[in-house]
Amino acid sequence: MVRLYGYWRSVATLRVRIALNIKGVDYEEIPIDLAHDGQHDPAFAAVNPLAAVPALVVGDGPPLGQSMAILEYLEEWRPRPPLLPADAAGRARVRAIALTFAADNHPVLTPRVVRHLVQALDATPAQQRDWVRHWFRQGLVQGEATLAGDPRTGRFCHGETLSVADIALVSHAEVARNFGVETDGLPTVGRIVEICRAEPDFERALPRHAPGGPERC
Ligand SMILES: N[C@@H](CCC(=O)N[C@@H](CS)C(=O)NCC(=O)O)C(=O)O
């Protein structure tokens, strides 16, 4: 039994959902309602004391946190199909692309950061939305700068094979779209995102299929 603690609109949860689907792992998603502070429920502190999703529990094992660490775990647990290239330089590039989204942009988008904007700076709803949209767009722009014109970019972010980089890109782009941020003017990113969205393992992972997710989002 594999349990994924997640939230329908969470970028980091989406990364793990896609990877679980690609690796063929059956799982049950347990929704943690970030919109109503579910991450701060004392019962959830035992799963992730950092009060964030995702967390993954495999069987009787301990809860695993941090989506990128979970992706590395899945890669070791279920090596096929691989989500990292066979060569060290390729793996470094794929991880670097993924971290552009997961380490550079996503951290400033999370509810705790936006909440602080409100508490410390009295940010209005319009300013909060502008902040979130800015950083979503910034991530996509950085993705385009990294991917366009690089001969290692192929049908997917790295050559012709799906990788962790595609998972991070699509997760970012999908939730960005939910905030009205599209990939217009970013042809390489837009092309790869559309190709990946058509893959059944990506499609099944999308927020609209997650527990608690609206039918259209
Ligand atoms: N670096 C972490 C980020 C986890 C994270 O911040 N998740 C967001 C949802 S995408 C969250 O649960 N935020 C709760 C909050 O900000 O209060 C990861 O990749 O798993």
PDB file of all heavy atoms in Angstrom, residues 2-17:
ATOM      1  N   VAL A   2       0.622   2.127  -0.946  1.00  0.00           N
ATOM      2  CA  VAL A   2       1.374   3.386  -1.045  1.00  0.00           C
ATOM      3  C   VAL A   2       0.386   4.531  -0.833  1.00  0.00           C
ATOM      4  O   VAL A   2      -0.646   4.594  -1.513  1.00  0.00           O
ATOM      5  CB  VAL A   2       2.063   3.516  -2.419  1.00  0.00           C
ATOM      6  CG1 VAL A   2       2.733   4.869  -2.564  1.00  0.00           C
ATOM      7  CG2 VAL A   2       3.080   2.385  -2.616  1.00  0.00           C
ATOM      8  N   ARG A   3       0.718   5.403   0.114  1.00  0.00           N
ATOM      9  CA  ARG A   3      -0.158   6.542   0.397  1.00  0.00           C
ATOM     10  C   ARG A   3       0.565   7.846   0.068  1.00  0.00           C
ATOM     11  O   ARG A   3       1.702   8.048   0.500  1.00  0.00           O
ATOM     12  CB  ARG A   3      -0.573   6.556   1.878  1.00  0.00           C
ATOM     13  CG  ARG A   3      -1.746   5.634   2.187  1.00  0.00           C
ATOM     14  CD  ARG A   3      -1.912   5.450   3.673  1.00  0.00           C
ATOM     15  NE  ARG A   3      -0.791   4.698   4.210  1.00  0.00           N
ATOM     16  CZ  ARG A   3      -0.322   4.801   5.440  1.00  0.00           C
ATOM     17  NH1 ARG A   3      -0.869   5.619   6.301  1.00  0.00           N
ATOM     18  NH2 ARG A   3       0.700   4.071   5.838  1.00  0.00           N
ATOM     19  N   LEU A   4      -0.125   8.679  -0.707  1.00  0.00           N
ATOM     20  CA  LEU A   4       0.433   9.992  -1.053  1.00  0.00           C
ATOM     21  C   LEU A   4      -0.408  11.055  -0.366  1.00  0.00           C
ATOM     22  O   LEU A   4      -1.603  11.181  -0.634  1.00  0.00           O
ATOM     23  CB  LEU A   4       0.390  10.193  -2.577  1.00  0.00           C
ATOM     24  CG  LEU A   4       0.752  11.590  -3.085  1.00  0.00           C
ATOM     25  CD1 LEU A   4       2.209  11.936  -2.765  1.00  0.00           C
ATOM     26  CD2 LEU A   4       0.495  11.706  -4.589  1.00  0.00           C
ATOM     27  N   TYR A   5       0.220  11.794   0.531  1.00  0.00           N
ATOM     28  CA  TYR A   5      -0.452  12.941   1.148  1.00  0.00           C
ATOM     29  C   TYR A   5      -0.231  14.121   0.208  1.00  0.00           C
ATOM     30  O   TYR A   5       0.928  14.481  -0.082  1.00  0.00           O
ATOM     31  CB  TYR A   5       0.126  13.230   2.535  1.00  0.00           C
ATOM     32  CG  TYR A   5      -0.166  12.142   3.531  1.00  0.00           C
ATOM     33  CD1 TYR A   5       0.621  10.987   3.586  1.00  0.00           C
ATOM     34  CD2 TYR A   5      -1.240  12.252   4.419  1.00  0.00           C
ATOM     35  CE1 TYR A   5       0.344   9.969   4.501  1.00  0.00           C
ATOM     36  CE2 TYR A   5      -1.523  11.240   5.334  1.00  0.00           C
ATOM     37  CZ  TYR A   5      -0.734  10.110   5.361  1.00  0.00           C
ATOM     38  OH  TYR A   5      -1.002   9.105   6.259  1.00  0.00           O
ATOM     39  N   GLY A   6      -1.322  14.695  -0.282  1.00  0.00           N
ATOM     40  CA  GLY A   6      -1.153  15.742  -1.282  1.00  0.00           C
ATOM     41  C   GLY A   6      -2.310  16.712  -1.298  1.00  0.00           C
ATOM     42  O   GLY A   6      -3.244  16.625  -0.494  1.00  0.00           O
ATOM     43  N   TYR A   7      -2.230  17.632  -2.234  1.00  0.00           N
ATOM     44  CA  TYR A   7      -3.283  18.631  -2.435  1.00  0.00           C
ATOM     45  C   TYR A   7      -3.443  18.791  -3.939  1.00  0.00           C
ATOM     46  O   TYR A   7      -2.442  18.823  -4.664  1.00  0.00           O
ATOM     47  CB  TYR A   7      -2.883  19.958  -1.778  1.00  0.00           C
ATOM     48  CG  TYR A   7      -3.912  21.050  -1.913  1.00  0.00           C
ATOM     49  CD1 TYR A   7      -5.203  20.876  -1.429  1.00  0.00           C
ATOM     50  CD2 TYR A   7      -3.588  22.269  -2.499  1.00  0.00           C
ATOM     51  CE1 TYR A   7      -6.147  21.886  -1.543  1.00  0.00           C
ATOM     52  CE2 TYR A   7      -4.522  23.288  -2.617  1.00  0.00           C
ATOM     53  CZ  TYR A   7      -5.806  23.084  -2.134  1.00  0.00           C
ATOM     54  OH  TYR A   7      -6.753  24.090  -2.245  1.00  0.00           O
ATOM     55  N   TRP A   8      -4.680  18.876  -4.384  1.00  0.00           N
ATOM     56  CA  TRP A   8      -4.946  18.826  -5.828  1.00  0.00           C
ATOM     57  C   TRP A   8      -4.150  19.852  -6.616  1.00  0.00           C
ATOM     58  O   TRP A   8      -3.673  19.575  -7.706  1.00  0.00           O
ATOM     59  CB  TRP A   8      -6.447  18.960  -6.103  1.00  0.00           C
ATOM     60  CG  TRP A   8      -7.070  20.264  -5.703  1.00  0.00           C
ATOM     61  CD1 TRP A   8      -7.601  20.558  -4.480  1.00  0.00           C
ATOM     62  CD2 TRP A   8      -7.233  21.440  -6.502  1.00  0.00           C
ATOM     63  NE1 TRP A   8      -8.078  21.842  -4.464  1.00  0.00           N
ATOM     64  CE2 TRP A   8      -7.864  22.408  -5.691  1.00  0.00           C
ATOM     65  CE3 TRP A   8      -6.909  21.772  -7.815  1.00  0.00           C
ATOM     66  CZ2 TRP A   8      -8.182  23.685  -6.150  1.00  0.00           C
ATOM     67  CZ3 TRP A   8      -7.217  23.049  -8.282  1.00  0.00           C
ATOM     68  CH2 TRP A   8      -7.844  23.986  -7.446  1.00  0.00           C
ATOM     69  N   ARG A   9      -3.996  21.084  -6.048  1.00  0.00           N
ATOM     70  CA  ARG A   9      -3.362  22.152  -6.817  1.00  0.00           C
ATOM     71  C   ARG A   9      -1.877  22.315  -6.488  1.00  0.00           C
ATOM     72  O   ARG A   9      -1.245  23.271  -6.923  1.00  0.00           O
ATOM     73  CB  ARG A   9      -4.110  23.465  -6.552  1.00  0.00           C
ATOM     74  CG  ARG A   9      -3.852  24.522  -7.595  1.00  0.00           C
ATOM     75  CD  ARG A   9      -4.762  25.695  -7.434  1.00  0.00           C
ATOM     76  NE  ARG A   9      -4.532  26.412  -6.180  1.00  0.00           N
ATOM     77  CZ  ARG A   9      -5.181  27.517  -5.840  1.00  0.00           C
ATOM     78  NH1 ARG A   9      -6.085  28.021  -6.642  1.00  0.00           N
ATOM     79  NH2 ARG A   9      -4.948  28.114  -4.694  1.00  0.00           N
ATOM     80  N   SER A  10      -1.339  21.398  -5.713  1.00  0.00           N
ATOM     81  CA  SER A  10       0.065  21.519  -5.298  1.00  0.00           C
ATOM     82  C   SER A  10       1.007  21.099  -6.420  1.00  0.00           C
ATOM     83  O   SER A  10       0.928  19.982  -6.939  1.00  0.00           O
ATOM     84  CB  SER A  10       0.276  20.644  -4.047  1.00  0.00           C
ATOM     85  OG  SER A  10       1.599  20.173  -3.985  1.00  0.00           O
ATOM     86  N   VAL A  11       1.917  22.005  -6.768  1.00  0.00           N
ATOM     87  CA  VAL A  11       2.913  21.715  -7.808  1.00  0.00           C
ATOM     88  C   VAL A  11       3.771  20.521  -7.392  1.00  0.00           C
ATOM     89  O   VAL A  11       4.044  19.611  -8.186  1.00  0.00           O
ATOM     90  CB  VAL A  11       3.825  22.940  -8.044  1.00  0.00           C
ATOM     91  CG1 VAL A  11       4.879  22.628  -9.089  1.00  0.00           C
ATOM     92  CG2 VAL A  11       3.018  24.162  -8.448  1.00  0.00           C
ATOM     93  N   ALA A  12       4.193  20.530  -6.132  1.00  0.00           N
ATOM     94  CA  ALA A  12       5.111  19.480  -5.670  1.00  0.00           C
ATOM     95  C   ALA A  12       4.411  18.115  -5.614  1.00  0.00           C
ATOM     96  O   ALA A  12       5.024  17.084  -5.916  1.00  0.00           O
ATOM     97  CB  ALA A  12       5.674  19.856  -4.294  1.00  0.00           C
ATOM     98  N   THR A  13       3.117  18.115  -5.256  1.00  0.00           N
ATOM     99  CA  THR A  13       2.369  16.850  -5.264  1.00  0.00           C
ATOM    100  C   THR A  13       2.215  16.340  -6.687  1.00  0.00           C
ATOM    101  O   THR A  13       2.317  15.137  -6.947  1.00  0.00           O
ATOM    102  CB  THR A  13       0.974  17.035  -4.626  1.00  0.00           C
ATOM    103  OG1 THR A  13       1.123  17.559  -3.306  1.00  0.00           O
ATOM    104  CG2 THR A  13       0.218  15.712  -4.555  1.00  0.00           C
ATOM    105  N   LEU A  14       1.978  17.254  -7.608  1.00  0.00           N
ATOM    106  CA  LEU A  14       1.799  16.851  -9.008  1.00  0.00           C
ATOM    107  C   LEU A  14       3.058  16.147  -9.536  1.00  0.00           C
ATOM    108  O   LEU A  14       2.967  15.153 -10.254  1.00  0.00           O
ATOM    109  CB  LEU A  14       1.443  18.083  -9.859  1.00  0.00           C
ATOM    110  CG  LEU A  14       1.217  17.883 -11.354  1.00  0.00           C
ATOM    111  CD1 LEU A  14       0.243  16.746 -11.647  1.00  0.00           C
ATOM    112  CD2 LEU A  14       0.711  19.185 -11.984  1.00  0.00           C
ATOM    113  N   ARG A  15       4.232  16.645  -9.138  1.00  0.00           N
ATOM    114  CA  ARG A  15       5.477  15.970  -9.558  1.00  0.00           C
ATOM    115  C   ARG A  15       5.448  14.499  -9.152  1.00  0.00           C
ATOM    116  O   ARG A  15       5.793  13.615  -9.939  1.00  0.00           O
ATOM    117  CB  ARG A  15       6.687  16.617  -8.870  1.00  0.00           C
ATOM    118  CG  ARG A  15       7.021  18.003  -9.347  1.00  0.00           C
ATOM    119  CD  ARG A  15       8.253  18.546  -8.587  1.00  0.00           C
ATOM    120  NE  ARG A  15       8.234  19.983  -8.615  1.00  0.00           N
ATOM    121  CZ  ARG A  15       8.361  20.781  -7.552  1.00  0.00           C
ATOM    122  NH1 ARG A  15       8.587  20.261  -6.350  1.00  0.00           N
ATOM    123  NH2 ARG A  15       8.308  22.071  -7.682  1.00  0.00           N
ATOM    124  N   VAL A  16       5.038  14.255  -7.922  1.00  0.00           N
ATOM    125  CA  VAL A  16       5.065  12.880  -7.408  1.00  0.00           C
ATOM    126  C   VAL A  16       3.977  12.038  -8.063  1.00  0.00           C
ATOM    127  O   VAL A  16       4.209  10.878  -8.404  1.00  0.00           O
ATOM    128  CB  VAL A  16       4.945  12.882  -5.866  1.00  0.00           C
ATOM    129  CG1 VAL A  16       4.852  11.463  -5.327  1.00  0.00           C
ATOM    130  CG2 VAL A  16       6.130  13.622  -5.252  1.00  0.00           C
ATOM    131  N   ARG A  17       2.782  12.629  -8.262  1.00  0.00           N
ATOM    132  CA  ARG A  17       1.712  11.871  -8.939  1.00  0.00           C
ATOM    133  C   ARG A  17       2.155  11.399 -10.312  1.00  0.00           C
ATOM    134  O   ARG A  17       1.953  10.244 -10.688  1.00  0.00           O
ATOM    135  CB  ARG A  17       0.466  12.756  -9.095  1.00  0.00           C
ATOM    136  CG  ARG A  17      -0.534  12.605  -7.991  1.00  0.00           C
ATOM    137  CD  ARG A  17      -1.867  13.211  -8.460  1.00  0.00           C
ATOM    138  NE  ARG A  17      -2.274  14.203  -7.498  1.00  0.00           N
ATOM    139  CZ  ARG A  17      -2.376  15.499  -7.709  1.00  0.00           C
ATOM    140  NH1 ARG A  17      -2.122  16.024  -8.885  1.00  0.00           N
ATOM    141  NH2 ARG A  17      -2.743  16.295  -6.754  1.00  0.00           N
TER     142      ARG A  17
END
